[in-house]
Amino acid sequence: MTILVTGGLGYIGSHTVVELLKNNFQVIIVDDLSNSEKFILDSIEKVAGKRPVFFPFDLKRKELLSQVFDAYQIDGCINFAAYKAVGESQEKPLDYYENNLFSLINILQEFKVRNISNFIFSSSCTVYGQADEQPIDENTPLKTPESSYGKTKQMGEEILKDFATAHQRKVSLLRYFNPIGAHPTALLGELPIGVPNNLVPYVTQTASGIREKLNIWGNDYETEDGTAVRDYIYVVDLAKAHVKALQKLIASNEDTVIDIYNLGTGKGSSVLEVVEAFETANDVKVPYQICERRAGDITIAYANADKAEKELGWKAETSLEEALRTTWEWQKYLESRNS
Ligand code: UDP
């Protein structure tokens, strides 16, 4: 089967492409390289032993997208292409709505007219906001996200539910917790542009001396050590969940399917625990200072991922330390490329 992977050269996308190729799917990548680099395509080929078809364009360009659908018999899509910086989305909300939602709608228009089903959507645990109870399962009530980025994820989910219902299609909404780590070959990983916003890339750059100190945003939260708690999920585990979710959609005999899964480890880790785990895993020091809380941060979020285990036969398998080891190897690889 042939799967369109939008944003397939991005962080989670590239790892998922590898898993799809390993499972004998044909892959067509559309990626505008706004948050990736062309060498990732070569890395995918090295890791998977096959080179996917690649088209560099922006999905808002409907006519180019249509040509891809004309040229290939596409059986499904995993849609990773989206802007994802929470802070930036507050400054440029229109760019976020335009990019994340127009591209989604353009793909769905093609799905509609060509009678294609099987659509997997990258959603996020931000759709839950600060949940009243932990762990968060799929029935936990959604709250209005703080950021425009989070709102594009909530709106994307609604668009897909309406699409699946109106046109009898199969969709799967995957709500990621905090993805971390890199491929065990150290050939694929996250490429943060500029100063990283996310914790693990910042920790990594601090350990390597690019950043002087990690700023820990607040140690006065109501958690065991006062720092905020998240559920850090290894990116290769996450990638594998996409293949399982896709296989389930394909195997389903129902006309309309709306699957929703939380993808996390089920375990919460505080910022300080992540720092310590990084230091232990890699035998390096991560200097830090405690700062004021960051605006918009919630105290605690971790998943109940039992539904994914029960229905997809998927479970996170990689420990926090192991994931953080791969991050460090990736950082060393990036530095060797630059030297
Ligand atoms: N964090 C931090 N320093 C940083 C980046 C993040 O203390 O430089 C904290 C942040 O306040 C949050 C956690 O690390 O509690 C995870 O943040 P991240 O931005 O990686 O993901 P989020 O859960 O906010 O999407």
Side-chain angles (χ1 to χ4, degrees):
M1 293 190 107
T2 302
I3 306 301
L4 172 67
V5 183
T6 72
L9 297 187
Y11 175 43
I12 307 171
S14 57
H15 288 83
T16 303
V17 167
V18 166
E19 295 306 316
L20 286 168
L21 293 170
K22 278 199 205 161
N23 283 276
N24 292 319
F25 287 95
Q26 307 291 322
V27 174
I28 296 169
I29 295 174
V30 175
D31 193 307
D32 68 357
L33 294 166
S34 58
N35 199 9
S36 185
E37 290 182 36
K38 187 77 190 296
F39 83 85
I40 295 290
L41 187 63
D42 302 326
S43 303
I44 290 173
E45 186 178 6
K46 277 187 211 145
V47 174
K50 289 179 219 165
R51 192 174 182 86
V53 179
F54 168 56
F55 294 103
F57 67 84
D58 181 333
L59 290 156
K60 294 195 288 303
R61 299 189 59 187
K62 276 175 120 162
E63 69 296 346
L64 292 180
L65 183 61
S66 224
Q67 285 169 18
V68 174
F69 279 89
D70 284 341
Y72 296 89
Q73 176 73 45
I74 289 171
D75 301 296
C77 173
I78 308 185
N79 183 35
F80 293 104
Y83 291 160
K84 61 169 187 175
V86 174
E88 185 186 61
S89 79
Q90 295 300 86
E91 289 151 26
K92 303 176 180 172
L94 295 182
D95 289 355
Y96 271 69
Y97 291 121
E98 181 180 41
N99 189 61
N100 294 4
L101 299 179
F102 284 17
S103 56
L104 170 64
I105 291 166
N106 288 347
I107 307 164
L108 294 179
Q109 293 283 16
E110 296 295 336
F111 265 52
K112 187 188 84 182
V113 295
R114 296 168 197 265
N115 256 317
I116 308 172
S117 203
N118 306 318
F119 195 99
I120 309 245
F121 180 64
S122 292
S123 190
S124 162
C125 66
T126 58
V127 298
Y128 297 112
Q130 175 61 77
D132 295 329
E133 281 179 36
Q134 301 291 330
I136 297 168
D137 69 25
E138 291 79 358
N139 294 319
T140 300
L142 304 190
K143 292 192 179 164
T144 305
E146 298 263 344
S147 69
S148 301
Y149 158 76
K151 287 177 193 161
T152 68
K153 292 296 170 192
Q154 238 179 39
M155 289 175 193
E157 289 196 359
E158 291 306 312
I159 290 167
L160 278 160
K161 286 186 206 164
D162 288 354
F163 169 75
T165 307
H167 303 291
Q168 292 86 50
R169 305 299 163 94
K170 299 187 264 188
V171 304
S172 195
L173 316 176
L174 304 183
R175 294 175 178 160
Y176 313 150
F177 282 67
N178 290 53
I180 59 160
H183 199 268
T185 58
L187 292 171
L188 296 170
E190 194 169 5
L191 287 170
I193 297 175
V195 182
N197 272 306
N198 292 116
L199 178 63
V200 170
Y202 207 106
V203 165
T204 311
Q205 291 195 358
T206 306
S208 79
I210 301 170
R211 312 280 156 211
E212 196 193 338
K213 268 185 204 151
L214 168 72
N215 299 311
I216 294 186
W217 306 124
N219 69 347
D220 56 353
Y221 284 103
E222 278 182 39
T223 61
E224 220 151 280
D225 63 24
T227 62
V229 168
R230 299 286 184 276
D231 185 334
Y232 296 91
I233 166 90
Y234 180 47
V235 67
V236 177
D237 287 340
L238 189 59
K240 289 178 179 167
H242 290 73
V243 178
K244 300 257 188 191
L246 178 65
Q247 286 167 333
K248 176 171 181 284
L249 289 188
I250 292 167
S252 167
N253 293 323
E254 307 283 322
D255 289 334
T256 307
V257 178
I258 301 172
D259 280 340
I260 301 179
Y261 297 107
N262 281 350
L263 300 178
T265 65
K267 184 176 170 292
S269 303
S270 73
V271 176
L272 280 172
E273 282 170 339
V274 171
V275 171
E276 278 160 26
F278 191 96
E279 291 184 331
T280 310
N282 301 311
D283 199 18
V284 287
K285 277 277 153 216
V286 180
Y288 67 82
Q289 60 186 2
I290 305 293
C291 306
E292 294 290 302
R293 292 181 181 195
R294 182 169 73 175
D297 269 352
I298 55 174
T299 304
I300 177 162
Y302 63 96
N304 172 333
D306 291 353
K307 189 174 173 220
E309 183 172 0
K310 198 162 140 246
E311 296 185 10
L312 300 178
W314 172 88
K315 194 164 142 223
E317 285 169 348
T318 309
S319 69
L320 179 62
E321 283 192 14
E322 186 52 38
L324 293 172
R325 253 195 293 279
T326 63
T327 307
W328 189 230
E329 292 304 317
W330 166 245
Q331 178 65 26
K332 288 194 266 182
Y333 171 71
L334 283 181
E335 285 172 17
S336 73
R337 277 181 56 86
N338 293 335
S339 65

